[in-house]
């Protein structure tokens, strides 16, 4: 059962990765906004719904992984790689949840009456430049990490395709051998039929000539009797 991958792991895992990357982008954008801004509230609602959806997708991904293990639809090496990817995705989901909760708490504290005076906001604006640089560096590092993970996923996919191609080639070679053996057997049967046909023809010819010899002998005897009588 191993030539074709009948489950939907690749599609669902790529969907989870895209949603996770989108959540990270929204979280970084949200951190740069004032909690009282409409854009901040919009991103907050988007991150909440995205986290809920990602949690559901991860649970369904676990079902797909369990089905692959139960029905043995993939090689053991691929199943092990899927376990690693699933554990990493689960850990990343937990990190995003923690990051969202921490940023929400810090923003609530920053928006409290005792802290949100104009002078404080001015001081925050003055100190935003280094923070922006750090945020850009962090975002760059996350993008590089995502690219590396994408390359790893691509490498795993190519390796999987190479294994499937090798298995398919072996299967085609086995089928060719079976067809060759079948052709040899048919040739042997045909040769045997021809030999039997020739044997039957010879027997038939032998059975048909004895009548002629019997007539000749009878005529010969009759001639002798006529001559001597």
């Amino acid at each position: 059962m191993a030539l074709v991958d009948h489950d939907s792991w690749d599609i669902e895992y790529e969907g989870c990765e895209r949603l996770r990357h989108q959540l990270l982008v929204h979280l970084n954008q949200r951190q740069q906004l004032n909690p009282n801004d409409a854009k901040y509230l919009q991103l907050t609602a988007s991150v909440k719904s995205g986290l809920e959806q990602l949690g559901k997708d991860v649970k369904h991904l676990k079902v797909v992984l369990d089905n692959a293990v139960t029905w043995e639809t993939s090689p053991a090496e691929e199943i092990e790689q899927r376990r690693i990817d699933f554990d990493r995705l689960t850990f990343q989901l937990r990190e995003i949840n923690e990051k969202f909760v921490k940023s929400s708490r810090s923003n609530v504290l920053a928006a409290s009456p005792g802290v949100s005076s104009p002078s404080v906001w001015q001081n925050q604006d003055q100190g935003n430049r280094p923070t922006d640089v750090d945020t850009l560096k962090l975002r760059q590092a996350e993008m590089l990490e995502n690219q590396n993970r994408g390359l790893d996923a691509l490498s795993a996919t190519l390796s999987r395709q190479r294994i499937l191609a090798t298995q398919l080639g072996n299967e085609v070679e086995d089928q060719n051998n079976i067809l060759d053996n079948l052709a040899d057997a048919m040739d042997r049967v045909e040769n045997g039929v021809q030999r039997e046909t020739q044997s039957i023809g010879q027997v038939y010819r032998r059975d048909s000539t004895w009548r002629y010899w019997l007539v000749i002998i009878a005529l010969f005897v009759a001639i002798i009797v006529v001559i001597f009588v």
Side-chain angles (χ1 to χ4, degrees):
M1 312 176 57
L3 279 183
V4 181
D5 192 358
H6 295 285
D7 58 56
S8 58
W9 170 271
D10 292 334
I11 298 175
E12 305 224 11
Y13 182 78
E14 289 175 2
C16 290
E17 280 294 317
R18 285 195 298 269
L19 182 55
R20 185 189 66 82
H21 177 69
Q22 182 180 2
L23 287 172
L24 288 174
V25 172
H26 287 175
L27 279 175
N28 289 329
Q29 293 175 350
R30 179 174 171 270
Q31 287 178 352
Q32 308 304 316
L33 299 174
N34 188 332
N36 297 322
D37 290 344
K39 182 67 173 177
Y40 177 89
L41 299 177
Q42 181 182 356
L43 287 174
T44 300
S46 176
V47 171
K48 284 183 179 179
S49 62
L51 285 172
E52 292 177 0
Q53 184 62 43
L54 184 57
K56 293 178 182 178
D57 292 345
V58 169
K59 288 181 180 179
H60 188 265
L61 202 63
K62 182 65 166 62
V63 174
V64 175
L65 178 59
D66 293 339
N67 289 339
V69 174
T70 302
W71 297 105
E72 297 181 354
T73 57
S74 301
E77 298 82 3
E78 184 177 347
I79 294 294
E80 184 61 28
Q81 183 60 45
R82 290 185 181 185
R83 292 182 197 271
I84 296 174
D85 294 338
F86 177 80
D87 292 339
R88 182 172 63 246
L89 185 61
T90 303
F91 176 75
Q92 291 169 344
L93 174 60
R94 188 163 53 249
E95 279 188 331
I96 295 174
N97 271 307
E98 293 175 355
K99 185 176 182 180
F100 176 66
V101 172
K102 289 180 181 178
S103 63
S104 298
R105 289 176 181 173
S106 62
N107 288 331
V108 168
L109 292 176
S112 60
V115 181
S116 60
S117 62
S119 60
V120 172
W121 284 110
Q122 290 175 358
N123 292 333
Q124 288 181 349
D125 291 337
Q126 293 175 357
N128 270 342
R129 291 183 179 176
T131 305
D132 289 344
V133 173
D134 294 338
T135 303
L136 288 174
K137 289 182 179 179
L138 177 62
R139 189 178 303 174
Q140 234 177 9
E142 290 176 350
M143 290 177 64
L144 289 175
E145 183 182 357
N146 290 332
Q147 288 179 353
N148 290 333
R149 277 195 296 269
L151 291 175
D152 291 339
L154 179 61
S155 176
T157 302
L158 292 176
S159 177
R160 190 160 55 247
Q161 295 295 330
R162 185 167 57 251
I163 293 174
L164 291 176
T166 302
Q167 293 176 345
L168 182 60
N170 294 334
E171 184 70 17
V172 171
E173 185 176 356
D174 293 339
Q175 294 296 329
N176 288 335
N177 291 333
I178 292 174
L179 292 175
D180 291 339
N181 294 333
L182 182 60
D184 293 339
M186 291 180 65
D187 290 338
R188 288 195 298 270
V189 170
E190 185 178 359
N191 293 332
V193 170
Q194 290 178 354
R195 286 195 301 270
E196 293 299 327
T197 303
Q198 292 174 357
S199 299
I200 292 173
Q202 291 175 358
V203 171
Y204 177 77
R205 285 194 297 272
R206 289 173 184 174
D207 290 342
S208 61
T209 56
W210 70 272
R211 296 191 185 117
Y212 297 108
W213 285 107
L214 181 61
V215 172
I216 292 171
I217 292 172
L219 291 174
F220 181 73
V221 171
I223 291 171
I224 292 175
V225 170
V226 171
I227 292 174
F228 288 99
V229 172

